[in-house]
């Protein structure tokens, strides 16, 4: 059964940005959209397992800092090569000023 994990405070993430969140032996990326919503994906690019934390977030996309693969962080869909495999996404909810992720 999945658990809701307290990942960060809502104000830990600037609008149109992300933070890295490590839990157990896994890395995740938590995003704050231009419409002030929060999303979570795996934190490594599906192309060469590069951390996305230094990638460019614009609108609803994350661009990998190594080879410029792009993903829609709302759905995980790979939008631009060299990535051809989607990112896994995770449910997110906000309680008060905390962002929780269902893992």
């Amino acid at each position: 059964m999945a658990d809701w994990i307290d990942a960060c405070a809502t104000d830990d993430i600037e609008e149109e940005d992300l933070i890295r969140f490590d839990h157990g032996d896994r890395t995740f990326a938590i995003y704050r959209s231009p419409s002030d919503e929060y999303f979570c994906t795996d934190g490594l690019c599906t192309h060469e397992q590069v951390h996305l934390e230094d990638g460019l977030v614009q609108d609803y996309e994350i661009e990998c800092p190594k080879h410029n693969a792009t993903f829609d962080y709302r759905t995980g869909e790979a939008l631009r090569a060299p990535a051809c495999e989607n990112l896994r996404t995770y449910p997110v909810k906000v309680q008060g000023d905390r962002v929780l992720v269902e893992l």
Side-chain angles (χ1 to χ4, degrees):
M1 178 168 189
D3 292 319
W4 287 97
I5 307 299
D6 186 332
C8 64
T10 54
D11 62 359
D12 286 343
I13 312 170
E14 297 292 324
E15 186 177 302
E16 286 193 280
D17 205 358
L18 71 94
I19 63 166
R20 177 177 170 175
F21 171 63
D22 295 321
H23 182 73
D25 61 351
R26 297 176 61 198
T27 297
F28 304 91
I30 302 174
Y31 309 84
R32 184 174 177 181
S33 77
S35 57
D36 206 30
E37 295 175 284
Y38 295 83
F39 297 88
C40 181
T41 68
D42 280 332
L44 301 173
C45 180
T46 59
H47 173 238
E48 284 193 0
Q49 302 301 298
V50 172
H51 286 279
L52 294 172
E53 68 184 302
D54 293 325
L56 174 66
V57 178
Q58 191 167 10
D59 296 322
Y60 295 95
E61 297 178 5
I62 173 67
E63 181 180 82
C64 177
K66 187 166 185 179
H67 293 121
N68 305 108
T70 304
F71 303 88
D72 182 326
Y73 60 75
R74 298 169 296 180
T75 63
E77 180 184 2
L79 301 173
R80 184 170 62 206
C84 55
E85 184 179 333
N86 295 342
L87 287 171
R88 185 170 175 194
T89 62
Y90 302 88
V92 173
K93 67 181 177 181
V94 174
Q95 286 187 335
D97 67 346
R98 305 300 300 175
V99 178
L100 291 89
V101 178
E102 187 177 30
L103 303 177

